Amino acid sequence: MTFEPLASDFYSYQGLLTDREREALAGIRAWLEADVKPIIGGYWERAEFPMQVVRPLAELGVLSYAWDEVKPFENSSVFRGFVALELARVDASVGTFVGVQNGLATGSISIAGSKAQRDEWIPKLASGEVIGAFGLTEPFSGSDSARGLRTTARREGDEWVLNGAKRWIGNATFSDITIIWAKDEADGQVKGFIVPTSTPGYEATKIEGKISLRPVQNADITLTDVRVPESLRLQNANSFRDTAAVLRATRAEVAWAAVGTAVGAYEAAVAYSKQRVQFGQPIAAHQLIQEHLVNSLGNITASLGMVVRASQLQDAGELRDEHSALAKAYATSRMRETVAWAREACGGNGIVLEYDVARFFADAEALYSYEGTREMNTLIVGRAITGEAAFV
């Protein structure tokens, strides 16, 4: 399949990809344009997730590329970043499903699981046979998860008993397993557990009334004396540092998704400006519309440079928390500006789903907040700059 560079990739960062990576990316893009873009507005409006996308995502390798056990060919973090961009460029909710399934759930098992756990679960998650979720955030603990986690784990023989609550857990209304992070009552350290959602005492309730990422099925989870065997404890998760290792990798990918969301809004605004006629000419010929589009492209280009470099550092084994944090804080802030300019360029039509911009505009708010708020990521970078922790 022929690969066509995105016009929004103004400095040709996709030139860093191998021929095999470009071929794979072309296949993913073609499927998204043909099978997801035409239907996603309706699912967004109904707040439903299009479950029919799961199998094609698996068949295209989207759920496999990062993991040695299942990846179809050697690939780079830059390539995987562009996959995240392509997904969000069409729909950030589908991109978020992949981020939870592939980055957070599978990533937890890959980073903190034993070899036996990796061998058992990663192929199932990569094939879509098993749907995963990631349970860290709680009703009273979001930014302060490192210290404020209230969910507890108590060892009883060969079992662990989990009690507590989680909130904003993506995929959780239909997941087969959820990675639950809980504080060990014995030593106070955070540990991870692979919890089958059919386990007695586990309950997930959909969060209603969202204005952002509406197809994503976020849930409140309650855990009441949920018993899991020692074999389902992530064997290499012994403190919050191990949880943070998962977040470090996925935070950079959220920055890529933010760029993709900005690209989707920008492309929709460019298309609209060429066909919308006012004062006898397309509004694309108006100076102020061109300013919006140029400012948007500048934001996209600057953010692309940052996320590409972060991915290169990840491949080199040199990515640090502050690198991911700066990329996420910057890219999501620029995304927020860009979707606003794109919506403004579309005038009144920018608030209806027909022209796509409204969806990107609304979805940007969730990406701006999840996987670390701008404020928390700012403090992570500030600590790296000054050597002083300014966390409350």
Side-chain angles (χ1 to χ4, degrees):
M1 185 172 293
T2 303
F3 175 79
E4 294 290 339
L6 292 173
S8 51
D9 181 11
F10 206 60
Y11 284 6
S12 301
Y13 285 108
Q14 289 173 322
L16 297 169
L17 301 177
T18 66
D19 290 343
R20 182 69 182 87
E21 289 173 335
R22 284 194 286 269
E23 180 185 355
L25 201 63
I28 293 167
R29 185 187 300 167
W31 171 73
L32 286 165
E33 292 285 344
D35 292 351
V36 178
K37 190 173 183 177
I39 66 165
I40 198 60
Y43 281 91
W44 195 97
E45 189 169 23
R46 296 189 301 272
E48 298 173 358
F49 185 76
M51 294 300 297
Q52 68 268 30
V53 306
V54 176
R55 183 179 294 277
L57 285 168
E59 292 173 347
L60 287 163
V62 174
L63 307 181
S64 305
Y65 285 126
W67 316 116
D68 289 338
E69 293 85 354
V70 291
K71 64 184 175 185
F73 62 88
E74 289 298 322
N75 60 86
S76 64
S77 292
V78 175
F79 163 71
R80 297 192 295 275
F82 271 112
V83 171
L85 184 153
E86 290 285 353
L87 293 168
R89 170 182 165 263
V90 171
D91 182 61
S93 293
V94 173
T96 298
F97 166 81
V98 172
V100 174
Q101 171 82 357
N102 192 38
L104 291 170
T106 311
S108 295
I109 295 170
S110 178
I111 291 170
S114 66
K115 183 181 186 305
Q117 289 171 332
R118 295 195 301 272
D119 290 344
E120 177 181 358
W121 292 102
I122 290 179
K124 293 177 182 178
L125 289 158
S127 70
E129 174 190 348
V130 167
I131 302 299
F134 179 87
L136 176 62
T137 301
E138 298 183 350
F140 302 104
S141 176
S143 295
D144 68 341
S145 291
R147 291 186 298 178
L149 214 63
R150 289 173 169 83
T151 299
T152 61
R154 184 178 71 256
R155 180 81 181 256
E156 290 188 358
D158 290 332
E159 290 186 322
W160 291 82
V161 182
L162 308 181
N163 282 283
K166 300 292 180 180
R167 183 165 173 81
W168 293 116
I169 310 306
N171 298 357
T173 63
F174 55 82
S175 64
D176 300 297
I177 62 169
T178 299
I179 307 300
I180 294 292
W181 299 92
K183 189 170 290 186
D184 187 346
E185 291 183 355
D187 62 12
Q189 295 297 324
V190 174
K191 294 180 170 63
F193 301 85
I194 303 168
V195 180
T197 57
S198 58
T199 306
Y202 178 101
E203 184 177 355
T205 305
K206 180 181 175 180
I207 296 173
E208 303 283 0
K210 294 191 303 173
I211 67 164
S212 188
L213 297 182
R214 287 174 56 77
V216 175
Q217 303 300 292
N218 295 97
D220 285 310
I221 293 174
T222 57
L223 303 156
T224 307
D225 292 330
V226 171
R227 290 182 173 271
V228 295
E230 164 65 11
S231 62
L232 291 182
R233 181 180 66 82
L234 293 176
Q235 298 297 300
N236 296 314
N238 299 307
S239 74
F240 191 80
R241 284 196 179 97
D242 300 308
T243 318
V246 179
L247 299 175
R248 183 182 309 122
T250 57
R251 187 167 287 147
E253 194 161 300
V254 175
W256 275 98
V259 181
T261 301
V263 167
Y266 164 77
E267 289 178 345
V270 170
Y272 181 85
S273 72
K274 290 179 178 180
Q275 59 90 19
R276 174 69 170 175
V277 174
Q278 293 286 278
F279 305 102
Q281 61 183 349
I283 63 172
H286 296 175
Q287 290 180 355
L288 292 180
I289 296 298
Q290 290 191 4
E291 181 184 34
H292 288 327
L293 299 179
V294 171
N295 286 340
S296 297
L297 183 59
N299 277 350
I300 290 165
T301 304
S303 297
L304 256 179
M306 184 174 286
V307 295
V308 164
R309 184 58 185 149
S311 289
Q312 290 173 331
L313 290 171
Q314 187 170 2
D315 277 335
E318 298 173 1
L319 186 71
R320 300 195 300 271
D321 286 342
E322 56 265 31
H323 293 144
S324 293
L326 182 60
K328 204 275 180 177
Y330 184 85
T332 54
S333 294
R334 300 292 77 75
M335 167 197 66
R336 214 180 190 198
E337 289 180 345
T338 299
V339 299
W341 284 327
R343 197 224 59 78
E344 190 171 344
C346 293
N349 286 329
I351 68 168
V352 292
L353 287 172
E354 178 184 354
Y355 298 94
D356 289 333
V357 169
R359 180 163 49 85
F360 292 113
F361 180 85
D363 287 347
E365 288 304 294
L367 272 72
Y368 183 71
S369 296
Y370 75 50
E371 287 267 10
T373 63
R374 184 194 63 81
E375 290 81 2
M376 291 305 298
N377 283 311
T378 296
L379 294 178
I380 291 170
V381 180
R383 179 178 59 192
I385 293 169
T386 64
E388 298 288 345
F391 301 93
V392 174

